Amino acid sequence: MSVSAAPRTITTAAVTTKVLAVEAHAVEDLLSLPFADLMFRAQQVHRAHFDANAIQRSTLLSVKTGGCSEDCGYCSQSAHHGEAEREKLLDVAEVVAAAQAAKDKGATRFCMGAAWKGPQDKDLAKVGEMVTAVKNLGLETCVTLGMLKEGQAEKLRDAGLDYYNHNLDTAPEFYGQVVTTHSQADRHDTLDRVRDAGLKVCCGGIVGMGETRAARAALIAELANMTPPPDSVPINNLVPMPGTPLENAPPLDPFEFVRTIAAARILMPKSFVRLSAGRQQMSDELQALCFLAGANSIFYGDKLLTSGNPEAAHDEALFERLGLTAI
Ligand code: SAM
Ligand code: DTB
Ligand code: SF4
């Protein structure tokens, strides 16, 4: 089968272009292929665009933890239900020390996350200082600060920011069942601001929240239909956090997770697809299947934002066993 595409019209200042939109039902057909066929297709696409043995590594740091006004049902940092220990905005020196340690271990990108609905201007200035300092270490920089107001993306860009992470998280039709304090349309507004400012876009989602295969397909279609598609696509497997409405969500079939990675790879051939949250709960063999399905980036370092991640030494050993090299 092929992923069918329907023409859609995009109008810029002077030109009207017909582009092919990915339809959710076609992605669902892709997700439903026999596993070996799906993996074969994903590997063909992967190898046409990337070195299939090279993996990019990003390290995360929570620079402001907990107490967030939003009610995202998966998140330990929501003031509505989260149990993560709250911590105010870190000092620039602490962030620089963590970034240097990440670089010494081999990370090439440093991502700073804050539990905000969006940044206040005074906070943004301090995050800007962090970005400049981390960039000066020779690392790529990424921040995820929630929704941005007009002009804020430009300030971050001018501070030396390379990537802004802001996920669509789940299918538009499922979003309201997981988050009620903002809409997915709000998130598109921020993504537009990020792209318009000339920043690179890191945008993906979470699976394993009790969504259907059709919903996973709709999320992948929505990501692939961004123009252009995101530069980095984190695919998170829900880490069930104590106290959150999703703490008892039934775990996703691991093969379904691999299928989601494969569909992301096929439909966003030039994007880095990141095997993101949930790696600590995965076997080495499952992670290897994700790499075979076209994942070519990981979060690297023993902590994500509030939850654990495999030790760097364990990842090094896994890379060695699989003959993977770091980008
Ligand atoms: N507040 C900002 C926001 O919502 O964009 C940035 C931080 S937020 C924690 C970043 C992303 O982490 C979310 O969009 C979600 O995809 C992911 N995430 C949060 N909690 C998670 C969990 N328990 N399991 C898997 N992914 C999670
Ligand atoms: C993303 O897509 N996943 C990262 C990063 N972007 C900011 C965060 C994962 C968080 C997992 C749960 C936690 O550690 O609190
Ligand atoms: Fe968590 Fe971000 Fe939602 Fe706040 S906006 S609750 S930090 S996912």
Side-chain angles (χ1 to χ4, degrees), residues 68 70 72 74-77 113-117 144-147 164-169 182 187 204-207 234 236-241 244 277-278 305 307:
C68 181
E70 303 307 282
C72 311
Y74 43 80
C75 187
S76 66
Q77 303 198 68
W116 289 320
K117 179 180 186 127
T144 181
L145 314 174
M147 292 180 279
Y164 195 87
N165 166 246
H166 201 60
N167 293 339
L168 291 178
D169 281 320
H182 61 261
R187 295 187 78 86
I206 317 180
V207 297
N236 297 279
N237 200 12
L238 178 73
V239 180
M241 301 301 285
T244 62
L305 293 175
S307 68

